[in-house]
Amino acid sequence: MSVIVQKFGGSSVADVERIRKVAARVAARRAEGHQMVVVVSAMGDTTDELLTLAKRMSSDPPRRELDMLLTCGERISMALLSMALHEQGVPAISFTGSQSGIITDDAHSQARIVEVRPVRIREELGKGRVVIVAGYQGVSRNREVTTLGRGGSDTTAVALAAALGAEACEIYSDVDGVFSADPRVVPEARKLETLDYGTMQELAAAGARVLNAQAVEFARNAGIVIEARSTHAGGTGSRIGPDPAPVRAVATDTEIRVLELADAQLESVLRRLAGDEVRLRLVAGSRGAMGRLLLVVPLQDVHGVEAFDASVRALGAEPRPGLGTVTLAGPGVGTDSALLAGCLGAAAALGIEVRAVHGSPLQLTFVVDVGRVGELARELHRATR
Ligand code: ASP
Ligand code: MG
């Protein structure tokens, strides 16, 4: 019998009524004759609320304890969805990440999955039960509970689909797939029918919240095709797979910290970032005696902005608040000199100062004032159709 992995995001399980609807959807798919594994995120804004609670307790909470707290969110959803299925007469059982055999490294708050041993999941599927799995979490070899980084339930779903040899990996959210830009920023954004892994990875890394970047990387390595769909009926969703698709899409990110520094400070600042497990989003600028460099890091990795700013300042770097990024992604985007000229011209015509440019074959990223991010995104989306 074929296994289907479905993942439901926070807004799809935000209240009791919506959880009932998800249960009905799962039951219908099961009735078609599939073994069902269902990964859930925390209800609504639960994860953000738990984070706020932690920050009220401590400006720099220990990451281990943060993970203990944040994993509670998904446990609530998994138990409630299992109850909803029981109510509808469908046998179901819920498991935490640890019970599901999701083994990670020990990088609390952004752990990577190193192995999946879904022994208990297989047993329960064999008994005809729907297995509900708490997304976004795992357990390290030292038996510590870990989380996979924001949006990490997608990663759980893809990793399980790979480990179980699933026929499909369906990621449900409140939008009908991946769009050419965030429709809240760019109203003309269009739904993309298909995207290749590379472009999707760039968009996810550049701030598109629709899919988690590590999940896409996992899917690419395991050859899993992701179907991103809307929880609400209708819509054809988007398919993320290996086939090249000639798309151009825009992503914006305002949740970043930019550091400006001189060459002489680069190595010590990078070592500090590495020690604090802060990842690099991008590096731009030139080295040498006159060179100034910009390092962009995700705010998500910074636990306590003031302490972070003070620590990098002590090393000679200057935090530059108030900046954001606009990224244009797609095959060939970063190698097209006319396209880059056009983007810079468009920014100049709007009077937007581009503080740094970063390109690679699949993307072009512009660092600009945070207040101009939306405007530049709309213009680049329009100009590159
Ligand atoms: N609940 C977690 C978050 O909000 C994980 C997820 O939604 O995938 O980031
Ligand atoms: Mg969530």
Side-chain angles (χ1 to χ4, degrees):
M1 208 188 271
S2 64
V3 177
I4 304 275
V5 176
Q6 295 189 323
K7 177 253 167 178
F8 291 90
S11 60
S12 307
V13 293
D15 55 41
V16 167
E17 224 17 77
R18 288 187 232 194
I19 293 177
R20 278 204 188 102
K21 286 205 182 112
V22 166
R25 240 203 131 106
V26 171
R29 199 87 160 104
R30 177 174 180 268
E32 292 168 9
H34 303 289
Q35 291 186 328
M36 301 297 298
V37 174
V38 184
V39 177
V40 284
S41 293
M43 294 171 74
D45 296 328
T46 303
T47 306
D48 288 318
E49 286 159 17
L50 292 173
L51 261 174
T52 306
L53 197 58
K55 297 261 151 97
R56 278 173 56 201
M57 193 56 71
S58 158
S59 65
D60 191 9
R63 312 261 174 112
R64 178 192 183 276
E65 304 310 330
L66 208 46
D67 280 356
M68 291 302 264
L69 181 71
L70 295 182
T71 47
C72 298
E74 273 68 14
R75 284 181 79 137
I76 297 173
S77 327
M78 75 177 195
L80 290 174
L81 179 57
S82 184
M83 290 175 199
L85 281 160
H86 281 268
E87 275 298 308
Q88 296 176 24
V90 178
I93 183 166
S94 66
F95 284 144
T96 63
S98 162
Q99 290 172 313
S100 306
I102 311 271
I103 319 291
T104 72
D105 61 17
D106 42 31
H108 283 292
S109 84
Q110 51 177 65
R112 289 182 68 90
I113 297 176
V114 293
E115 199 188 336
V116 181
R117 284 191 232 139
V119 184
R120 295 192 67 185
I121 295 182
R122 281 210 186 89
E123 266 171 34
E124 296 298 334
L125 289 176
K127 292 181 199 159
R129 290 190 173 133
V130 173
V131 179
I132 323 284
V133 176
Y136 171 60
Q137 55 183 274
V139 65
S140 72
R141 296 205 198 275
N142 301 321
R143 301 198 161 274
E144 290 289 358
V145 171
T146 54
T147 61
L148 308 177
R150 297 307 303 270
S153 301
D154 293 344
T155 317
T156 305
V158 174
L160 284 175
L164 295 165
E167 182 186 302
C169 181
E170 302 167 354
I171 307 258
Y172 290 91
S173 68
D174 53 356
V175 289
D176 182 30
V178 182
F179 283 65
S180 56
D182 182 340
R184 285 167 300 188
V185 179
V186 182
E188 312 82 74
R190 292 175 295 102
K191 210 272 303 279
L192 302 169
E193 295 297 325
T194 55
L195 281 99
D196 56 273
Y197 293 124
T199 302
M200 189 62 238
Q201 258 176 292
E202 294 291 352
L203 287 171
R209 305 255 181 265
V210 58
L211 275 176
N212 173 290
Q214 203 203 326
V216 184
E217 183 191 324
F218 228 102
R220 177 184 211 157
N221 293 339
I224 300 282
V225 171
I226 299 176
E227 304 280 353
R229 295 185 184 160
S230 162
T231 315
H232 322 291
T236 49
S238 302
R239 188 173 185 277
I240 297 102
D243 306 324
V247 303
R248 279 194 182 162
V250 173
T252 57
D253 197 355
T254 54
E255 299 288 300
I256 56 166
R257 202 79 181 135
V258 177
L259 306 177
E260 186 177 340
L261 62 159
D263 192 15
Q265 285 111 34
L266 181 60
E267 205 178 317
S268 58
V269 172
L270 289 173
R271 287 196 195 288
R272 168 60 56 89
L273 296 179
D276 291 346
E277 295 184 42
V278 175
R279 292 163 295 173
L280 276 180
R281 252 289 309 280
L282 66 87
V283 183
S286 68
R287 298 198 61 183
M290 303 293 285
R292 296 296 285 172
L293 291 140
L294 289 189
L295 302 184
V296 180
V297 304
L299 215 42
Q300 190 194 318
D301 290 2
V302 177
H303 303 267
V305 176
E306 277 159 34
F308 175 79
D309 283 356
S311 81
V312 293
R313 240 187 224 119
L315 295 171
E318 200 44 50
R320 296 275 174 232
L323 296 175
T325 58
V326 179
T327 299
L328 182 64
V333 158
T335 52
D336 185 338
S337 39
L339 182 67
L340 176 54
C343 293
L344 293 173
L350 291 169
I352 297 174
E353 188 188 346
V354 175
R355 310 296 190 99
V357 182
H358 179 261
S360 63
L362 290 176
Q363 61 88 27
L364 282 173
T365 296
F366 305 90
V367 179
V368 298
D369 284 348
V370 78
R372 313 297 300 270
V373 161
E375 222 178 319
L376 183 61
R378 284 186 287 280
E379 181 55 22
L380 295 191
H381 187 270
R382 194 193 59 74
T384 58
R385 288 305 94 196

